[in-house]
Amino acid sequence: MLRFAFFVYCIVFSTYVSADMPSPRRWKQEKTFSFGDIQIKQSFNSIKDPMDPEFKLRVYEKGKLLLQLNDVAFDAFFSSPDGGAFVGLSNSGWPGTAVIIFDRRGRILLMAEHGYARFDYCRETSTFIKEWYDAEDPQVRFPIFRISDERTPGITVKSCRGETVDLLDTVTKAKDRGEITLRDEINIHYGTR
């Protein structure tokens, strides 16, 4: 009986582990998000190496390239009401980007990655799943501009727990809980040996 239980455990565990591995399939895909004159194009290409595919993000205004980033991908993008800023969100641990905010000139205002930032996850696997916001109904809201003595409002998003949270506060807390600091990552990969 003990051997049978161990056998079943091994099958279940191996199924779980293999589900969190990249597909050996070689393919490519491009997805475009349009916001007036701004187009955000994301591409995925695993033709060369399925274990190390290319992820690219390109932002255009009327065909003119404003921003290009490698090794980033997001599930969805949201525009501010005036089209001046954009938010990208991801519940995926591959390639590891969680959130980006950039403006219509292509300047990155904020970017956070899983690993450097540890969000309050509802579901998580070692590679692919890093669920921290409600992907079905993210309710991204940009603040109404006002000058006051009160705390300045921020961009809000609906968390995976159903709460409306301030995006910048959430990223700050997640970075405080990060598994590795940027300093350590640079030292590990690029330090003099």
Side-chain angles (χ1 to χ4, degrees), residues 118-138:
R118 179 141 182 81
F119 292 81
D120 183 17
Y121 301 115
C122 292
R123 288 186 324 132
E124 177 181 19
T125 61
S126 61
T127 305
F128 290 113
I129 300 172
K130 305 287 184 196
E131 184 181 331
W132 66 276
Y133 78 96
D134 184 342
E136 296 296 316
D137 186 22

Side-chain angles (χ1 to χ4, degrees), residues 1-156:
M1 186 65 160
L2 186 59
R3 284 185 187 163
F4 179 73
F6 179 72
F7 176 73
V8 170
Y9 170 78
C10 288
I11 289 174
V12 170
F13 182 73
S14 66
T15 302
Y16 172 76
V17 170
S18 66
D20 204 39
M21 294 291 296
S23 168
R25 186 173 145 218
R26 296 174 188 270
W27 61 291
K28 62 183 178 178
Q29 170 185 14
E30 183 170 275
K31 189 171 185 181
T32 301
F33 301 85
S34 295
F35 301 96
D37 293 339
I38 300 292
Q39 282 196 324
I40 302 168
K41 294 187 178 196
Q42 277 194 145
S43 62
F44 170 87
N45 186 340
S46 67
I47 301 293
K48 225 185 270 182
D49 184 358
M51 299 308 277
D52 188 22
E54 291 180 351
F55 293 90
K56 290 190 180 188
L57 171 75
R58 294 176 317 282
V59 180
Y60 298 91
E61 181 182 28
K62 296 180 182 176
K64 178 185 170 196
L65 182 65
L66 302 175
L67 173 66
Q68 179 172 317
L69 297 171
N70 295 326
D71 294 326
V72 301
F74 300 93
D75 303 329
F77 290 92
F78 307 88
S79 173
S80 64
D82 68 355
F86 304 88
V87 171
L89 302 174
S90 176
N91 277 334
S92 176
W94 202 45
T97 42
V99 60
I100 188 170
I101 303 173
F102 59 91
D103 69 9
R104 74 175 299 117
R105 292 176 49 197
R107 293 181 300 182
I108 298 171
L109 306 173
L110 171 85
M111 191 158 86
E113 297 182 27
H114 303 287
Y116 300 130
R118 179 141 182 81
F119 292 81
D120 183 17
Y121 301 115
C122 292
R123 288 186 324 132
E124 177 181 19
T125 61
S126 61
T127 305
F128 290 113
I129 300 172
K130 305 287 184 196
E131 184 181 331
W132 66 276
Y133 78 96
D134 184 342
E136 296 296 316
D137 186 22
Q139 296 183 13
V140 174
R141 303 283 188 266
F142 289 80
I144 296 171
F145 177 76
R146 67 174 189 250
I147 297 176
S148 69
D149 293 336
E150 297 176 28
R151 183 171 177 258
T152 304
I155 299 169
T156 59

